[in-house]
Amino acid sequence: EDQVTQSPEALRLQEGESSSLNCSYTVSGLRGLFWYRQDPGKGPEFLFTLYSAGEEKEKERLKATLTKKESFLHITAPKPEDSATYLCAVRDSNYQLIWGAGTKLIIKP
Amino acid sequence: SAVISQKPSRDICQRGTSLTIQCQVDSQVTMMFWYRQQPGQSLTLIATANQGSEATYESGFVIDKFPISRPNLTFSTLTVSNMSPEDSSIYLCSVAGTAGVYTGELFFGEGSRLTVL
């Protein structure tokens, strides 16, 4: 069964303390892995698409990487405004989108 | 990008009643998607709203419970019928980005938070 698991469920960091969020997946025929950011009371906001192992994408303090089994969202020197829930989703060979439950990131000043 | 407006943003409803959520997009789109997001859980696709034809429902969701209208290419409604406390959730409207529906780039409305007492 296709599955997406995100860890940890929640992560508290001090401002400037770099870390990584994990998205592990089991899917038949990956057609893309996607990262979104969701602020409280808002809908998810698209960040990145990754299609093949070894691919990397960067945006400001965020860098997403992909292997055959998982993706990491690295956050470098985070700021309080990076606090949000980060969602991962994968598209399978039937083009169905499967979502993880998210990691709630809290950056303390 | 697309700008999506949802109404209401939140509501508190009584058991057994129905609520209709509206979704307005600032550009014409072929497909609109309705999702449910329960606290601490993944987004779950309810249905795809197609203009000019019936919505396509995912497993576990039925038209009698979640009727959907799509009168034109910029507007859709989702009704949650005969509500129970288990329907308490955030309901999200979304559309695909300009790269096409089969990419993972979706734009979302701000959601409608529904509480059923």
Side-chain angles (χ1 to χ4, degrees), chain B residues 9-30:
Chain B
S9 58
R10 59 178 63 229
D11 207 340
I12 299 173
C13 302
Q14 295 298 317
R15 180 195 298 260
T17 62
S18 298
L19 178 75
T20 296
I21 302 167
Q22 299 181 3
C23 177
Q24 179 75 53
V25 188
D26 69 342
S27 58
Q28 295 185 337
V29 293
T30 305

Side-chain angles (χ1 to χ4, degrees), chain B residues 2-104:
Chain B
V3 177
I4 303 171
S5 303
Q6 274 188 246
K7 292 180 182 179
S9 58
R10 59 178 63 229
D11 207 340
I12 299 173
C13 302
Q14 295 298 317
R15 180 195 298 260
T17 62
S18 298
L19 178 75
T20 296
I21 302 167
Q22 299 181 3
C23 177
Q24 179 75 53
V25 188
D26 69 342
S27 58
Q28 295 185 337
V29 293
T30 305
M31 285 194 266
M32 296 173 75
F33 308 96
W34 286 99
Y35 280 90
R36 184 171 72 184
Q37 186 177 31
Q38 295 179 311
Q41 296 188 24
S42 313
L43 271 71
T44 303
L45 181 64
I46 298 171
T48 301
N50 308 303
Q51 196 272 331
S53 64
E54 279 196 6
T56 305
Y57 289 84
E58 297 300 308
S59 176
F61 298 96
V62 295
I63 188 170
D64 290 346
K65 175 67 175 177
F66 297 100
I68 287 172
S69 79
R70 182 80 196 272
N72 57 52
L73 291 174
T74 64
F75 187 78
S76 178
T77 66
L78 169 75
T79 299
V80 186
S81 304
N82 187 24
M83 288 183 286
S84 67
E86 292 72 36
D87 295 318
S88 297
S89 188
I90 298 172
Y91 292 85
L92 292 156
C93 172
S94 102
V95 302
T98 53
V101 67
Y102 291 115
T103 71

Side-chain angles (χ1 to χ4, degrees), chain A residues 2-4 23 25-34 50-53 55 66-71 88-98:
Chain A
D2 295 342
Q3 196 168 345
V4 176
C23 172
Y25 61 90
T26 305
V27 68
S28 56
L30 181 71
R31 294 287 186 263
L33 183 142
F34 316 98
L50 300 166
Y51 285 109
S52 54
E55 190 175 357
L66 181 64
T67 72
K68 289 187 177 180
K69 294 184 178 180
E70 58 191 348
S71 175
C88 169
V90 300
R91 195 173 285 284
D92 66 14
S93 57
N94 294 317
Y95 292 94
Q96 299 298 308
L97 202 55
I98 304 152

